[in-house]
Amino acid sequence: MRRTCSALAAVAAAATLFTGIPAAAAAAAPVRLPTARGAVADSSRPPTERQIKALFDRWNAALATGDARRVADLYAPDAVLLPTVSPEIRTTRAGIVDYFEHFLEGKPVGTVQERFINIPNRNTAIDTGLYRFTLTNEDGSTSEVDARYTFVYELRGDDWLIVNHHSSKVPEG
């Protein structure tokens, strides 16, 4: 029992040392993630995995609008996009908008198949895994594309933005 108490005290001391916030206060402080650009975010402690999952849902909902500019709004001005169906690396807002203008023609709907979330600090999160896009073809039929992804999110001001997004088709076989 003594070791457990000492370990808990050490964790609380480390939390206070690294964050400047007593452990009890940090545990009680809310962490808010924005639902739209400009919403208030709380960076007093790291986000939860559930909250990072919600950032993918926000991105997927932006795809559903069919508005490439709305999707691009979720990316930082200096973001890098390595897209699924384009050989061109996109490093400007104009490039990201251009990519999504073409990609959104297929009315993509993404579904995460498997994911791993890493939250290295209170301002950065990485969501990596496999997702499947259902695309609508010109004749109304649908097709599916399985892809690997990595989203790197960073809290910039009051908003969580995508700073790096890599997506590539899963190799066959």
Side-chain angles (χ1 to χ4, degrees):
M1 184 68 170
R2 173 169 265 164
R3 265 190 217 157
T4 303
C5 291
S6 297
L8 290 174
V11 168
T16 303
L17 176 65
F18 287 109
T19 66
I21 302 168
V31 174
R32 297 179 305 272
L33 289 174
T35 56
R37 208 162 164 77
V40 176
D42 178 1
S43 64
S44 64
R45 64 185 174 122
T48 65
E49 285 192 17
R50 182 177 64 83
Q51 291 166 321
I52 298 309
K53 289 177 184 178
L55 293 174
F56 173 84
D57 295 339
R58 178 180 75 165
W59 178 81
N60 205 27
L63 293 181
T65 69
D67 183 347
R69 285 168 179 68
R70 191 160 177 184
V71 177
D73 286 345
L74 303 176
Y75 290 78
D78 58 339
V80 175
L81 169 63
L82 287 96
T84 314
V85 293
S86 171
E88 185 181 333
I89 297 172
R90 311 302 174 117
T91 60
T92 65
R93 178 177 171 79
I96 291 170
V97 169
D98 176 66
Y99 172 73
F100 282 109
E101 283 175 343
H102 299 289
F103 185 64
L104 292 176
E105 290 172 359
K107 299 180 177 125
V109 176
T111 306
V112 173
Q113 305 296 307
E114 184 176 9
R115 74 168 11 125
F116 302 90
I117 292 177
N118 183 351
I119 303 170
N121 60 56
R122 62 187 177 203
N123 297 315
T124 307
I126 304 162
D127 182 358
T128 301
L130 300 173
Y131 51 18
R132 174 173 293 149
F133 283 105
T134 301
L135 304 169
T136 302
N137 303 312
E138 287 183 22
D139 66 2
S141 64
T142 60
S143 59
E144 294 181 336
V145 176
D146 289 327
R148 302 174 284 196
Y149 73 87
T150 299
F151 286 95
V152 179
Y153 300 101
E154 194 171 279
L155 184 61
R156 300 265 180 107
D158 290 336
D159 207 3
W160 283 91
L161 297 176
I162 299 164
V163 294
N164 191 302
H165 177 192
H166 176 218
S167 182
S168 58
K169 288 183 182 179
V170 173
E172 294 184 25

